[in-house]
Amino acid sequence: MPLRFTAQDMRNGHPMRMGYNTDMYYAKIGNQVLKILSKYPDKELLDQVTMFRIAEKLALYFEDIICDLGIWSSFVKKHQELYGKPLPFYKTEGEYYADEPHLCDIQYLIWDTLTECSEDTITNPENPGIKRLAADLYLLLDEEFENAPINEELKQFFEQASFLNDYIKLRDMLHWVFDGNYLVSSMTHENACVETLLNEVETYLEMDYNDPRAEYAAFTQCYFKFKVGPLALYPKEWLAMILRYNGQEKGVEKVEQITYHNYDLYRLEKFDKERIYLCDSDNMHFSIRKDDYGDMLDDTLRETDGCIAAFVYYDGEWHPNGMDAWNKFEDSHNAIREYKRRYRTGISKGTFKKLMKKSGGSPLFFFRDGEELHRFSIEEMGVPEHLLQPSELDSEEYITMWMPSYDKDFFLMPDSALGIKDPRNPYYDAERASESLQAMIFSPTGAPADMLEYLESHQMIPDAGMNHYLGKEDGQRLIHENLDFIVRTMRRENY
C-alpha cells in the first residue's frame, strides 16, 4: 500500500497540533515528495519510515519558510554564529536567504533524516544519492514557491505568543519543540530520553514502569532536562530563538529565565491559605501557589512532611511539574542532605597538581589495560585499594583518562588510546585509529565534547573520518571541518 501524507500529519507538526485551512495544500506537497522518493532505487537506504519522515520534514520546512515562522531561519542564524556559515557540510552559492528554498537546505534535511533513522551511525552528507534526490525535490519546491499559500494564523500564533501567559500552555510549547518540531525533534532521541526518565520516575515515585502516569511524569521532565535538535540546545533555547525572530523580546526574557529542578525530596516547612513553603535537599527555600494543587486539603498537608517532586520556575513563580508524591519521609530529609554534603566529584587540588606535573600539563592519561589503570588509581591518585570496586574496565584495554580539572568527574574510555596521536601515548595505532575514533566521535556515550575539542585543537585525531566515495582524505576533511556540529548532532543531551 503506497504511503500517504495527510492534513493530520501536518497538524501533528504544529504547536498544540492545531489545524489550519492550508494543511491540505502542504499535505499535497508531502505526497509529491513521497512520489519522488518512491522512484529511488535504493529501498534499503530509503525504507518507508525514512521516506515518510523526509516528506514530513520537507512539507513542514516549506510551510515554515513560506510563512516566515522562523524555525529554519533561527537554525541558520545560530549555525552562522557558531561556525561562520549558514549550514554544515554544504556550500551556499551567492547570497543566502533563509526564507527561500535552497538545494543545500534539502540536502541537509535528507542527511539529517537518514542519520536520525540509522540511530548511532552517521550518513555521509556528500553521498551522491543525497544530491540527486535533493535536486529533484528542489525542483518541486522551487516550482511551488511563488504560489504556496501563507498560513497567516500560524504566523500570528508565533507573533502574538499568548501561550507565554500560562505555564501549562508554555510547557505544551516546549513539548512541541521536543516532540513535534520538524527540525528539532528526533524519534530515536525522544525514545532514549523517555526510557532514561522512566527508570528515574520508577525509582523516585515507586511507580510501575508500564503505568501510563509514569510516561506522563517522564515526558513532562524531558521538555526541561534534555538538549535537543541538531545544535544540542535545550527546548527553551530553541523556543527563545523562534520568539526572538518573531519580535517577542519580552517573551524571550521569560523563556530564557526558566529554571528546572529535577526530582528530589522536598521538606514541607509550612503552608497558609495561599502558599506552600518548601525546602530542597540543597537547602534552597521557595514557595508555590496552593491552587497549583487544585483541591488539595489542608488535612493532607498536615499528614505529610514533604514530597518527592520536580519543579519549574517560570514568570516569577515555581510550578509543580508532572507527578509527585506527598508523604511522611521523616529522617530521609537529613540523610539525603548528609549524603550530598559528603559526596563530591573530582579529586583534591594537591593530587590534581601532582598529576598535571607528571603529564606535563596534559589532561590525558593512557593505560594499556584495566590492571595498569588500577595501579595508577592507587599509586598516583591516592585511592585506598579497599575502596576500589570491581569495574567493567578491569577487563578492557587501551584506556584513555580525561581529567580537565580537579573538581569534576574524570572520563574513562576503553580502546580510545588506539586513536589518539599524542607523543605521550605509546598505544596509538595508525591502522586501528579510524575504527577507534568512530566510537569516540559518533557514539552518544563517546568522548566528551571538551575532550574532542582539545584533541582536535592539538591535532591528535588526524585519522578521524567517515566513508567517502572520493576516498579517505575527503572523509577526513568532512569530519575535521564539521566536528563540533557532528558531535552536537549525535550527542544532543550528552553534549
Side-chain angles (χ1 to χ4, degrees), residues 4 20 23 38 91 120 142 160 167 176 197 200 251 269 337 340-341 373 375 432 434 444 451 459 467 469 486 493:
R4 280 190 69 238
Y20 300 98
D23 290 344
S38 68
K91 291 180 180 178
D120 292 345
D142 186 54
Q160 295 170 1
Y167 166 68
W176 166 73
L197 270 181
E200 194 172 297
E269 297 192 304
R337 286 182 183 177
K340 285 191 171 184
R341 187 186 70 80
L373 172 62
R375 288 197 304 272
R432 301 167 68 184
S434 179
M451 177 179 171
Q459 300 179 331
N467 292 330
Y469 75 102
I486 290 169
E493 77 274 13

Side-chain angles (χ1 to χ4, degrees), residues 246-312:
N246 284 281
Q248 271 286 346
E249 285 300 327
K250 288 185 178 179
V252 169
E253 186 176 349
K254 282 184 180 183
V255 170
E256 287 181 338
Q257 290 177 356
I258 289 173
T259 305
Y260 170 69
H261 273 206
N262 198 8
Y263 275 111
D264 195 0
L265 180 56
Y266 295 85
R267 185 194 295 277
L268 173 62
E269 297 192 304
K270 63 178 181 177
F271 63 92
D272 55 33
K273 290 182 179 179
E274 295 183 352
R275 305 195 74 81
I276 300 171
Y277 298 83
L278 300 167
C279 179
D280 72 5
S281 58
D282 291 317
N283 213 33
M284 186 193 84
H285 301 263
F286 65 102
S287 68
I288 56 176
R289 292 196 305 262
K290 209 171 178 183
D291 59 14
D292 275 341
Y293 283 99
D295 58 355
M296 179 185 280
L297 300 175
D298 288 357
D299 288 347
T300 302
L301 290 172
R302 290 190 189 98
E303 292 171 1
T304 70
D305 63 7
C307 63
I308 294 174
F311 294 93
V312 171

Side-chain angles (χ1 to χ4, degrees), residues 124-379:
N124 185 334
E126 293 182 355
N127 183 318
I130 292 179
K131 189 169 185 178
R132 285 196 300 270
L133 267 179
D136 290 342
L137 294 167
Y138 170 74
L139 289 176
L140 165 66
L141 300 190
D142 186 54
E143 186 177 317
E144 293 283 339
F145 181 66
E146 296 296 337
N147 301 317
I150 297 174
N151 187 340
E152 299 283 2
E153 288 181 81
L154 186 53
K155 177 62 177 176
Q156 289 173 8
F157 174 84
F158 284 108
E159 289 179 333
Q160 295 170 1
S162 60
F163 55 83
L164 292 167
N165 300 323
D166 181 270
Y167 166 68
I168 298 300
K169 290 180 179 177
L170 177 278
R171 192 175 70 183
D172 287 342
M173 280 300 291
L174 295 176
H175 180 182
W176 166 73
V177 173
F178 179 82
D179 183 35
N181 183 310
Y182 77 91
L183 183 61
V184 173
S185 65
S186 160
M187 297 178 293
T188 51
H189 171 73
E190 174 199 318
N191 292 339
C193 292
V194 173
E195 187 81 14
T196 300
L197 270 181
L198 278 172
N199 291 324
E200 194 172 297
V201 166
E202 190 175 30
T203 300
Y204 278 104
L205 298 180
E206 298 181 352
M207 192 175 286
D208 186 82
Y209 187 90
N210 296 313
D211 188 327
R213 294 174 303 166
E215 185 172 339
Y216 163 76
F219 254 115
T220 50
Q221 311 315 313
C222 288
Y223 319 146
F224 301 97
K225 187 169 183 175
F226 293 120
K227 295 176 182 177
V228 294
L231 294 175
L233 303 174
Y234 288 105
K236 71 172 186 177
E237 294 177 278
W238 283 103
L239 182 57
M241 290 193 303
I242 296 167
L243 288 169
R244 178 170 283 120
Y245 183 87
N246 284 281
Q248 271 286 346
E249 285 300 327
K250 288 185 178 179
V252 169
E253 186 176 349
K254 282 184 180 183
V255 170
E256 287 181 338
Q257 290 177 356
I258 289 173
T259 305
Y260 170 69
H261 273 206
N262 198 8
Y263 275 111
D264 195 0
L265 180 56
Y266 295 85
R267 185 194 295 277
L268 173 62
E269 297 192 304
K270 63 178 181 177
F271 63 92
D272 55 33
K273 290 182 179 179
E274 295 183 352
R275 305 195 74 81
I276 300 171
Y277 298 83
L278 300 167
C279 179
D280 72 5
S281 58
D282 291 317
N283 213 33
M284 186 193 84
H285 301 263
F286 65 102
S287 68
I288 56 176
R289 292 196 305 262
K290 209 171 178 183
D291 59 14
D292 275 341
Y293 283 99
D295 58 355
M296 179 185 280
L297 300 175
D298 288 357
D299 288 347
T300 302
L301 290 172
R302 290 190 189 98
E303 292 171 1
T304 70
D305 63 7
C307 63
I308 294 174
F311 294 93
V312 171
Y313 180 83
Y314 174 68
D315 197 18
E317 287 280 359
W318 285 96
H319 304 269
N321 191 55
M323 305 293 295
D324 50 43
W326 293 79
N327 210 331
K328 282 270 188 189
F329 295 98
E330 300 175 341
D331 295 337
S332 297
H333 295 283
N334 291 331
I336 290 176
R337 286 182 183 177
E338 181 62 17
Y339 171 80
K340 285 191 171 184
R341 187 186 70 80
R342 293 188 177 204
Y343 176 78
R344 61 179 176 82
T345 59
I347 57 176
S348 70
K349 284 185 181 180
T351 300
F352 181 75
K353 188 176 180 180
K354 183 183 77 169
L355 291 174
M356 289 301 102
K357 185 176 180 181
K358 182 179 179 68
S359 69
S362 171
L364 295 166
F365 299 86
F366 307 99
F367 308 96
R368 173 63 181 78
D369 50 31
E371 184 179 339
E372 190 176 326
L373 172 62
H374 187 89
R375 288 197 304 272
F376 180 87
S377 301
I378 296 169
E379 296 169 8

Side-chain angles (χ1 to χ4, degrees), residues 391-433:
S391 164
E392 292 180 359
L393 288 169
D394 293 344
S395 58
E396 297 287 358
E397 296 181 311
Y398 308 115
I399 301 165
T400 303
M401 175 187 286
W402 167 250
M403 188 184 293
S405 65
Y406 73 89
D407 57 349
K408 295 181 180 178
D409 283 330
F410 46 85
F411 175 79
L412 294 162
M413 187 170 184
D415 297 322
S416 56
L418 295 168
I420 299 175
K421 193 174 182 180
D422 183 341
R424 297 174 44 253
N425 177 18
Y427 311 117
Y428 168 72
D429 185 333
E431 293 185 0
R432 301 167 68 184

